[in-house]
Amino acid sequence: MDKASALRQYFGHNFFRPGQERLVDGILSGRDVLGIMPTGGGKSICYQVPALLLPGLTLVISPLISLMKDQVAALTAAGVPAAFFNSSQNLEEYWAVWNGIRSRAYRLVYVAPERLENPRFAQLMAEQDVSLLAVDEAHCISQWGQDFRPSYLKIADFAAALRRRPVMAAFTATATARVQEDIVAQLGLQRPVRVVTGFDRPNLFFDVQRPKDKTSALLSLIAQRPGKSGIVYCATRNAVERVWIALNEHGVPAARYHAGLPEAERRANQDDFQFDRRTVMVATNAFGMGIDKSNVSFVIHYNMPKNLESYYQEAGRAGRDGEPADCVLLYSPGDVTTARYLIDHSADDADLDSQTRESLRRMELDRLAVMTDYCKTDRCLRGTILDHFGQGHGESCGNCGNCQGIFEEADITIPAQMILSCVKRVADKLGYHVGAGLISQVLRGGRNRRVLELGLDRLPTYGLMKDTSQEQLRAYLDCLSNKGYVFTDPDHATLRLGPTAGNVLFRGERVTMTAKVRPPEIKRPKKAPEPVSAPEDNALLTALKAERARLARRDGGPAYIVFSNATLSDMAAKAPKDMAELMEVSGVGEVKAARYGKEFLAVIASHH
Ligand code: ADP
Ligand code: MG
Ligand code: ZN
């Protein structure tokens, strides 16, 4: 059997997705691999297909008992002999798996990482021919990730103690460079084939706006999209309440969702949104984990999130149906302050020692800086996101606010000199550095208490820019910071001169700034990518789902083990008339066709 027939016969897929094939080839040629794909990207296939082709056993390390059960159930239903070992099993089940391994009954065995520390299990594995060690959710090995599992650190030693070192394959959806390097180092991957793919969502349009008044900007964005379904994310419960009230006052049918609402209301509001009784959901990041609504046509961030990973995950809830959708972030400098506050007061830190807490805080601040850069860049926004995830891309996507925006170069040497000189003079006078807020106050001639107490109103730079708006001054500061003339000390949030500031102050260097001159009108890409499946016959789909439920009850298993939603949609669209046509449906392999084919074909036949 070759990889393509394994994919077809057992999993019912006609093609590998981009990236999957390179990883499968890597493993089959004996190379270690590191696969980075978003959730739903299809990582499992990358080790399940090789597992069918390699001579020995594939051992899968997976952190969650429930995931393990699901995967093994799905494999078994597809005709792949697989089993798992975990603490939820009784003695009888445990020995059945143990004996199954000894008699080489399985292609794949799933275990939790803690199991590797069990000497009896290690001994059992040392006696087996293990071809492949697949590490799922490999970011759990990194202390820089949120899901650190110390027992993942034992994997390399475990692999070394096997009869011969197996091919090692690691998979994750978390892609920061730091975590990637940790995975390679801690697992001891040898020159791995590294594949990063699937992060681009071509149908999503990205934009960042800096409105003076966020609420009216939000109202007009929503007004431009009548009847469309969308999510508005806010940083705090308070902001959710305010925005929710404002939208309803303006006649927008909005629901709200945050952790402060009673469970029953949250569920009711989620249903209202899910079933389009209310088209807009105003929510904190507590909303979204379990929702699966494909026709969300916009995601607007009323506040900037704490990091780009969260942003992309939340924005990515738009356009799941493949239709063009918009992701707009309404940025204001105050969002940075809010995010810093949330980082400094994060509640789940309580049981960590102070050193760990401090290094986590620094990491969060680094991630915040990346997020802030996204809001300020004039480069392609999609490119900025893909860079962060390590995926290659073209220079310009043509489908983001920056690629479509109109930029103008302006000479800002004079205001730059004023600002830099003010930073210098304030530091000279006080003997320490202050934040950007206070510098702005001084430049704009503010009379707040700190300015007066510190005597900064007597500096020659005081009031030098009193005719410059606060936003404009902010924009200058951002530009100077992007160019490295100033930087923010991450520990104290104070503004300092960069090493090249002297060139502007004393040596006549000119400074230019590119600015978006007007917000781009949101233009559609010329052609939306084809939706994944053709529009489906709803009545037929409903009938197929009912049949699936019946078969699941008959077999005493969950419905998705019979066929996934995607498979049923494809089946409804293709309406196969015989077994051969049924096999063309994505997700229908040989075993499932034999087990369920007749029933589903009968439903389709009776529908015409
Ligand atoms: P991940 O582990 O990356 O989150 P999964 O391995 O669970 O993703 O796969 C997600 C979904 O994608 C599954 O429903 C799977 O059947 C489907 N899938 C994976 N590979 C393919 C493929 N080559 N063609 C069609 N569907 C696929
Ligand atoms: Mg997975
Ligand atoms: Zn772009």
Side-chain angles (χ1 to χ4, degrees):
M1 190 170 42
D2 63 9
K3 62 186 180 195
S5 25
L7 182 69
R8 268 215 52 39
Q9 186 177 327
Y10 289 97
F11 304 99
H13 304 315
N14 292 320
F15 307 101
F16 284 105
R17 289 186 180 152
Q20 284 180 331
E21 189 161 18
R22 270 195 289 150
L23 290 163
V24 169
D25 288 344
I27 292 171
L28 292 177
S29 70
R31 296 268 312 264
D32 287 353
V33 306
L34 173 57
I36 295 154
M37 294 175 193
T39 303
K43 293 183 281 292
S44 323
I45 290 287
C46 302
Y47 57 83
Q48 289 169 346
V49 165
L52 286 162
L53 304 176
L54 292 166
L57 180 70
T58 291
L59 187 62
V60 184
I61 320 279
S62 173
L64 289 174
I65 291 181
S66 59
L67 280 177
M68 222 182 270
K69 268 191 181 143
D70 289 354
Q71 293 244 357
V72 169
L75 285 167
T76 309
V80 181
F84 62 82
F85 247 141
N86 70 37
S87 51
S88 74
Q89 284 163 317
N90 63 33
L91 217 54
E92 199 177 330
E93 291 167 322
Y94 176 86
W95 285 115
V97 175
W98 186 280
N99 289 325
I101 292 174
R102 297 199 57 179
S103 63
R104 308 190 177 194
Y106 308 121
R107 297 275 76 219
L108 296 101
V109 171
Y110 285 70
V111 296
E114 291 74 21
R115 177 73 48 180
L116 307 182
E117 298 171 45
N118 176 327
R120 277 158 46 97
F121 177 76
Q123 179 57 32
L124 173 67
M125 282 301 138
E127 290 162 9
Q128 307 305 312
D129 173 22
V130 180
S131 290
L132 172 62
L133 188 62
V135 183
D136 207 1
E137 315 291 346
H139 59 277
C140 292
I141 207 168
S142 173
Q143 275 159 291
W144 300 105
Q146 271 135 6
D147 315 314
F148 175 54
R149 294 273 288 244
S151 45
Y152 265 66
L153 296 170
K154 303 273 162 56
I155 296 175
D157 287 345
F158 171 84
L162 292 173
R163 199 149 32 141
R164 77 185 145 82
R165 182 187 181 279
V167 170
M168 307 255 291
F171 301 92
T172 178
T174 308
T176 60
R178 175 141 216 178
V179 172
Q180 277 190 42
E181 287 331 302
D182 248 15
I183 292 172
V184 172
Q186 307 278 14
L187 283 179
L189 300 184
Q190 293 165 7
R191 293 193 311 113
V193 175
R194 199 183 295 227
V195 174
V196 183
T197 178
F199 285 93
D200 191 12
R201 300 277 309 277
N203 60 319
L204 300 186
F205 174 91
F206 290 95
D207 196 18
V208 177
Q209 297 182 7
R210 291 180 168 222
K212 286 215 177 69
D213 175 357
K214 285 192 181 189
T215 306
S216 55
L218 175 65
L219 283 165
S220 86
L221 283 168
I222 292 174
Q224 288 159 24
R225 292 162 176 77
K228 296 281 191 187
S229 180
I231 305 173
V232 178
Y233 277 111
C234 303
T236 62
R237 297 176 193 182
N238 257 329
V240 170
E241 293 294 331
R242 271 189 289 112
V243 170
W244 176 68
I245 289 168
L247 292 187
N248 279 291
E249 278 173 1
H250 285 82
V252 177
R256 64 185 164 154
Y257 192 103
H258 57 69
L261 295 171
E263 165 77 25
E265 189 187 340
R266 266 184 290 165
R267 198 156 347 110
N269 294 352
Q270 175 162 342
D271 280 354
D272 282 347
F273 179 64
Q274 187 88 25
F275 299 112
D276 294 314
R277 292 191 289 265
R278 294 191 165 262
T279 52
V280 176
M281 175 61 97
V282 186
T284 60
N285 60 7
F287 179 70
M289 276 321 201
I291 70 149
D292 178 20
K293 183 166 162 60
S294 64
N295 68 336
V296 174
S297 136
F298 60 88
V299 171
I300 298 172
H301 277 76
Y302 190 83
N303 302 107
M304 180 185 76
K306 283 190 292 185
N307 55 60
L308 197 54
E309 291 88 345
S310 309
Y311 176 65
Y312 200 49
Q313 186 172 44
E314 287 157 18
R317 299 199 170 112
R320 288 263 177 81
D321 53 5
E323 293 295 317
D326 302 320
C327 308
V328 183
L329 196 163
L330 303 178
Y331 171 78
S332 75
D335 292 338
V336 185
T337 319
T338 309
R340 284 186 74 101
Y341 181 88
L342 292 175
I343 288 170
D344 286 340
H345 296 80
S346 127
D348 45 73
D349 280 2
D351 52 349
L352 298 173
D353 63 81
S354 65
Q355 200 183 342
T356 315
R357 205 163 31 217
E358 180 55 20
S359 68
L360 280 175
R361 195 182 74 94
R362 273 174 187 278
M363 183 181 70
E364 290 286 310
L365 290 176
D366 285 351
R367 298 166 82 195
L368 175 62
V370 172
M371 182 72 247
T372 314
D373 286 348
Y374 172 84
C375 295
K376 295 178 178 175
T377 186
D378 52 12
R379 291 181 47 234
C380 171
L381 292 172
R382 184 185 316 280
T384 305
I385 292 169
L386 293 178
D387 275 348
H388 182 65
F389 289 108
Q391 184 175 336
H393 57 86
E395 189 172 331
S396 156
C397 76
N399 190 28
C400 78
N402 286 355
C403 287
Q404 294 185 359
I406 297 157
F407 289 90
E408 217 167 51
E409 283 260 299
D411 187 311
I412 60 156
T413 308
I414 304 282
Q417 286 167 338
M418 292 175 176
I419 293 167
L420 297 177
S421 131
C422 182
V423 174
K424 182 173 180 335
R425 282 174 187 274
V426 169
D428 287 350
K429 178 174 170 68
L430 300 178
Y432 57 87
H433 291 88
V434 301
L438 194 54
I439 296 290
S440 311
Q441 281 281 335
V442 174
L443 282 163
R444 296 183 66 238
R447 303 209 54 80
N448 87 8
R449 226 180 61 209
R450 249 189 108 202
V451 172
L452 304 180
E453 271 172 15
L454 295 172
L456 300 177
D457 55 336
R458 294 192 297 276
L459 285 177
T461 46
Y462 180 80
L464 214 50
M465 299 179 79
K466 58 180 181 308
D467 298 328
T468 306
S469 73
Q470 183 134 12
E471 289 82 37
Q472 184 65 50
L473 188 53
R474 269 280 168 191
Y476 290 146
L477 275 168
D478 286 346
C479 170
L480 293 178
S481 155
N482 280 340
K483 295 185 182 240
Y485 293 122
V486 294
F487 67 95
T488 303
D489 170 350
D491 283 335
H492 311 97
T494 55
L495 195 66
R496 292 161 176 259
L497 292 185
T500 50
N503 298 346
V504 178
L505 280 174
F506 311 118
R507 288 181 282 280
E509 186 163 294
R510 317 227 38 100
V511 183
T512 57
M513 178 168 88
T514 38
K516 231 188 264 188
V517 288
R518 62 180 159 84
E521 285 164 32
I522 293 184
K523 290 188 215 107
R524 298 294 169 194
K526 269 165 237 96
K527 190 175 176 322
E530 288 285 316
V532 194
S533 55
E536 58 224 8
D537 174 348
N538 266 319
L540 176 53
L541 182 61
T542 309
L544 293 174
K545 284 190 174 164
E547 183 62 10
R548 173 175 68 178
R550 190 184 71 79
L551 293 169
R553 266 197 311 278
R554 183 194 74 186
D555 296 353
Y560 67 89
I561 293 294
V562 177
F563 285 127
S564 72
N565 280 343
T567 298
L568 290 193
S569 296
D570 197 37
M571 199 182 295
K574 290 187 174 137
K577 284 185 279 302
D578 53 33
M579 218 40 131
E581 286 182 16
L582 182 69
M583 295 288 293
E584 290 302 307
V585 171
S586 173
V588 182
E590 270 176 19
V591 171
K592 288 197 187 176
R595 189 171 301 163
Y596 305 119
K598 271 214 310 281
E599 279 89 345
F600 282 95
L601 285 172
V603 170
I604 295 165
S606 73
H607 222 78
H608 278 272

